Amino acid sequence: MWSLPAPNIPARALYLTCVSNTLPKVKRAKLEALEDTVADAADRYEAAASAAALHTLKDLKGEPADKAVQEELKKNYTQRMARPYAPGRDVYNEIKASVRFGRCPLCGERHVETVDHQLPKGDYPLLAVVPVNLVPACRSCNALKGEAAPASAEEQTLHPYYDDIGKQQWLFARVLEDAPAAVEFFVKPPEEWDKVLVARVRRHFRMFKLGDLYGPHAAAEMSSLRHYLKGMDTQAVAAHLGKMADSLFVDDLNHWRGVMYQALAANSWYVNGGFAAV
Ligand SMILES: [Zn+2]
């Protein structure tokens, strides 16, 4: 998971922008009357997210009770924000564009194509267009998460605006010493992390199937490495792999490439010719 600066857009302003062209006027007035309720829900969301406690917002679930109003709140996102030329579309685009290299912050690999609701709009219509609940994502991560909402602190997936776990390495790989060489990725959290954070990172890794995503990418890179390393002596192989890991870690301690090079450099079977085994 890769952290991002939270969008600096007031929830109230975005909500009013989205409802601004709602017709008929009587429907718009009904939505405008909810302005304070939505702003309060957004304030509570920010406080809960800052404390890694989004699961405590259960009383916002299914609010407001009127199903027709719930549908209109969801349409604020689907019709009045995500659609081309919708009043909230600029903010939608801004959120999508906030990532580095166009990469999804949830998997760190695939391209951002959509916006994911950290707490699903189906369960939490009041949060449908709250900016800090809207996270840029690739379609696969968006689909894998679906309508999941955390029932406990441990069930919260990582939130790119509130959880910054990039300062320490938590993603590692082990070499599978069998021809052709491969690596397997796993989570090994720093010892000082509390239990809840450990559970959340493991859940994030499982939910977004990060091991299944990174493994084939690593296999493809190792296939071309086989040719590159051919003819080098053991020392040169180890030096190249170590240098690659070091340079990739400068930018990101938990990207599969740096982690893969780290594991390969440390594996004597691989360095001593395992790389060439087919
Ligand atoms: Zn993704």
Side-chain angles (χ1 to χ4, degrees):
M1 198 284 305
W2 287 259
S3 66
L4 290 176
N8 189 20
I9 301 151
R12 187 185 293 268
L14 178 59
Y15 179 76
L16 291 175
T17 298
C18 289
V19 302
S20 64
N21 70 349
T22 307
L23 288 172
K25 272 185 182 176
V26 61
K27 194 198 278 180
R28 182 161 76 228
K30 212 170 177 181
L31 289 174
E32 283 170 348
L34 282 171
E35 174 189 345
D36 287 342
T37 310
V38 169
D40 287 348
D43 287 346
R44 287 193 53 204
Y45 181 98
E46 286 195 52
S50 302
L54 285 180
H55 62 292
T56 62
L57 298 179
K58 285 177 196 133
D59 59 304
L60 293 180
K61 218 171 177 175
E63 287 294 324
D66 186 332
K67 296 278 184 209
V69 176
Q70 282 188 21
E71 287 310 308
E72 284 301 322
L73 289 172
K74 286 187 256 179
K75 283 182 192 167
N76 274 346
Y77 177 76
T78 54
Q79 297 186 5
R80 303 174 193 121
M81 182 174 179
R83 269 193 188 172
Y85 309 110
R89 179 72 181 195
D90 286 350
V91 176
Y92 177 87
N93 288 338
E94 198 181 311
I95 288 172
K96 275 177 65 183
S98 66
V99 296
R100 289 183 79 204
F101 312 129
R103 275 196 195 144
C104 169
L106 302 177
C107 61
E109 184 58 34
R110 290 179 288 243
H111 198 69
V112 164
E113 288 175 290
T114 187
V115 166
D116 180 64
H117 287 79
Q118 187 76 14
L119 286 184
K121 64 183 181 309
D123 281 350
Y124 296 89
L126 287 173
L127 302 171
V129 294
V130 167
V132 285
N133 190 40
L134 303 174
V135 173
C138 68
R139 289 210 187 278
S140 294
C141 286
N142 185 239
L144 286 167
K145 186 155 160 287
E147 292 292 299
S152 66
E154 290 81 359
E155 284 186 13
Q156 299 174 95
T157 51
L158 298 164
H159 196 315
Y161 302 147
Y162 295 93
D163 297 306
D164 183 5
I165 58 166
K167 292 185 185 74
Q168 289 164 295
Q169 188 176 358
W170 51 267
L171 181 69
F172 288 84
R174 64 174 70 88
V175 177
L176 305 175
E177 297 179 5
D178 201 1
V183 291
E184 182 178 59
F185 292 90
F186 61 97
V187 173
K188 188 176 118 191
E191 279 178 15
E192 63 271 27
W193 281 11
D194 66 59
K195 270 198 235 163
V196 171
L197 183 57
V198 169
R200 292 180 63 207
V201 174
R202 291 196 190 286
R203 181 176 173 80
H204 192 98
F205 186 82
R206 276 197 313 274
M207 178 178 277
F208 296 108
K209 300 183 187 297
L210 298 185
D212 294 346
L213 172 63
Y214 302 155
H217 282 293
E221 180 131 352
M222 287 166 72
S223 176
S224 54
L225 251 182
R226 191 174 301 134
H227 307 295
Y228 182 82
L229 299 175
K230 212 181 274 176
M232 286 188 187
D233 62 31
T234 303
Q235 217 175 358
V237 168
H240 172 73
L241 299 172
K243 212 169 174 181
M244 286 297 291
D246 289 347
S247 63
L248 289 160
F249 279 155
V250 171
D251 199 39
D252 189 344
L253 282 175
N254 295 289
H255 190 273
W256 67 262
R257 279 188 81 210
V259 170
M260 179 198 81
Y261 277 101
Q262 176 191 48
L264 297 180
N267 184 273
S268 58
W269 172 82
Y270 184 83
V271 170
N272 283 291
F275 64 83
V278 285

